[in-house]
Amino acid sequence: MRSYRRFRVALASLLLLATLVLASCGQTGSQLVEGGPRAWVGGPPDGSEVPIGEVAAMCHAFARGGVSQIELFVNGAFANRAANPDAANEYFTVSLSFETTGPGSYVLHCRTYDGDGGMVQSDPVTVRVTGEEPTPTTPGEEIATATPTSTEEPPTPTTAPPTPTGTRVPPTSTPIPPTSTRIPPTSTPRSPTGTPVPIRIVVFEVSRSQIALGDCVRFNWTVEGPASAIFFDDEGVTSPDSRDRCPPATKEFELRAELNDQVADRATLTVVVIQPPEDTTGPIITNVEPQPQLRVVCVGKYCAADDRYLDIEATVTDGSGVRNVQLYHTAPPSRGEPEPQREMYGNFTRSGGNVWVIRYTPPEDFYAGIIKFEIMATDDSPNLNTSWWGPGTITIQQGIG
């Protein structure tokens, strides 16, 4: 009987010590650093059943400037860890294994460490191994089995937990010291020590929401939380948090933040592109030179060289641009001959700005009289609109020797 009482005292002391240790761990994990790292358990789901033996837990981590490592704690005890192969990566996900030793509840926490030593512990996830939970005993202490002589009820014989074995750690690029912790079950729930950071788009803006065709705009955005991927206009983006676009027509642009291939938040902006009105008129032809009284050309054997041609210029403008300018002429009618037809003489050339010039020399069979001339201009729009100027006149004189 004395042996049984000593057993009860020892058992009470062990439970008190375990309570103090768990309380100490809970306080450490709950000390969140403002702007520091974040941690959460991705699986197994809270309240799910797991088998006896090796179980994999999915730990997610986020830390500004990069995640250093993730640790897995089960029932307040260290179980496993993994270092981030890319210490500059702000997002890190890893599967860490631990071993269950028998029926009962197992409380999982993931701890995230940043490069500056900052740490945060996730909310707990509790899993359970089904079956009858064994009553803990103190190894090496003999349990009385004789029939008691007092009114006290004797303790129920139990089996001690299995001997601990090593915990497997997945390989990483940074050597991790081996661990040898096997986790006994517990029925004591842990209080939450960390809150997952929500993923949200806090800024999504565009420099102009209405533009003319051919103009460009700049998009800027800010996303908070540990998003695993961000897409703008279906383009995966990292940094900088801006992109330029030159839409050919009115378009809706989408910004999407995702976590593990699931949309966490999205936002849209529409840019209106103003199309120019359809061009249906030809170019404007003005300032035709020289003046009519000076449009004289000499033909024949006895003309001076400078009198044998005439330089004609005109100002031609169009909002869509000018494709070409052409000169047409009509010979003076001859006695007894049919009315002559208008013919294309040649193309003007651009001499600078909107001024077009052509040198006109009458054909050899043109004699004294009045020649009619006209100017046709074609714009550079899809419709190729044309316009006419004229008619003007040129006086043909015979050179007299």
Side-chain angles (χ1 to χ4, degrees):
M1 185 57 66
R2 290 180 180 177
S3 174
Y4 171 65
R5 289 175 178 173
R6 287 197 305 269
F7 163 74
R8 294 186 62 185
V9 172
L11 178 59
S13 300
L14 287 175
L15 292 176
L16 177 60
L17 178 59
T19 302
L20 294 175
V21 171
L22 292 177
S24 173
C25 292
Q27 292 171 358
T28 302
S30 64
Q31 293 173 354
L32 299 179
V33 179
E34 184 67 24
R38 298 292 181 265
W40 64 100
V41 180
D46 187 47
S48 62
E49 294 183 0
V50 297
I52 295 178
E54 184 174 296
V55 178
M58 185 66 66
C59 287
H60 300 278
F62 166 79
R64 296 288 185 187
V67 175
S68 172
Q69 66 176 6
I70 298 178
E71 291 183 346
L72 174 66
F73 278 72
V74 181
N75 292 344
F78 171 81
N80 209 336
R81 71 161 61 88
N84 188 356
D86 182 5
N89 196 334
E90 295 184 343
Y91 307 98
F92 182 39
T93 298
V94 67
S95 177
L96 298 176
S97 62
F98 67 97
E99 290 192 11
T100 60
T101 58
S105 297
Y106 295 80
V107 181
L108 314 183
H109 290 88
C110 292
R111 289 187 179 182
T112 297
Y113 294 84
D114 62 17
D116 297 327
M119 182 275 289
V120 73
Q121 181 167 277
S122 70
D123 280 343
V125 168
T126 301
V127 297
R128 184 175 179 81
V129 176
T130 58
E132 184 178 353
E133 298 185 30
T135 303
T137 62
T138 303
E141 183 173 357
E142 185 178 346
I143 305 300
T145 57
T147 303
T149 57
S150 65
T151 57
E152 293 184 358
E153 183 178 350
T156 302
T158 59
T159 303
T163 304
T165 61
T167 299
R168 294 164 54 188
V169 178
T172 66
S173 59
T174 302
I176 301 299
T179 61
S180 58
T181 305
R182 297 186 67 192
I183 309 302
T186 179
S187 58
T188 305
R190 284 355 183 232
S191 59
T193 58
T195 302
V197 177
I199 300 171
R200 61 192 186 100
I201 299 171
V202 295
V203 175
F204 184 40
E205 58 190 11
V206 65
S207 56
R208 287 182 295 164
S209 60
Q210 183 171 292
I211 61 174
L213 180 64
D215 290 349
C216 300
V217 293
R218 169 158 291 192
F219 291 85
N220 297 282
W221 59 82
T222 301
V223 177
E224 288 186 350
S228 58
I230 299 174
F231 293 89
F232 168 69
D233 194 24
D234 290 329
E235 172 193 354
V237 294
T238 52
S239 61
D241 298 337
S242 64
R243 286 294 185 275
D244 292 334
R245 289 293 186 269
C246 307
T250 298
K251 180 179 178 180
E252 181 182 76
F253 293 86
E254 180 190 63
L255 180 67
R256 185 172 71 251
E258 296 185 356
L259 179 62
N260 299 331
D261 298 328
Q262 299 294 323
V263 177
D265 198 8
R266 66 185 295 271
T268 59
L269 286 173
T270 299
V271 176
V272 177
V273 178
I274 301 175
Q275 301 288 342
E278 183 180 4
D279 189 351
T280 58
T281 59
I284 299 174
I285 305 171
T286 58
N287 300 328
V288 178
E289 295 289 348
Q291 296 298 320
Q293 63 271 21
L294 301 178
R295 297 177 188 146
V296 179
V297 178
C298 181
V299 296
K301 181 177 180 180
Y302 301 102
C303 295
D306 293 344
D307 295 336
R308 293 180 180 274
Y309 62 84
L310 179 67
D311 288 334
I312 302 174
E313 68 177 36
T315 300
V316 184
T317 58
D318 191 273
S320 299
V322 178
R323 173 164 293 196
N324 57 56
V325 181
Q326 297 173 324
L327 180 68
Y328 287 78
H329 65 170
T330 305
S334 299
R335 183 175 299 176
E337 296 290 333
E339 187 72 19
Q341 300 298 312
R342 180 175 64 187
E343 297 179 355
M344 202 272 282
Y345 174 80
N347 290 301
F348 283 73
T349 59
R350 192 190 297 269
S351 66
N354 296 319
V355 178
W356 295 73
V357 176
I358 190 171
R359 175 163 288 185
Y360 178 74
T361 301
E364 293 181 357
D365 57 349
F366 277 27
Y367 299 102
I370 302 297
I371 293 179
K372 293 180 180 180
F373 74 95
E374 296 172 273
I375 300 174
M376 187 186 77
T378 305
D379 68 13
D380 210 18
S381 71
N383 296 329
L384 297 177
N385 303 300
T386 61
S387 59
W388 290 85
W389 178 94
T393 59
I394 299 174
T395 301
I396 305 297
Q397 293 181 347
Q398 284 285 341
I400 301 174

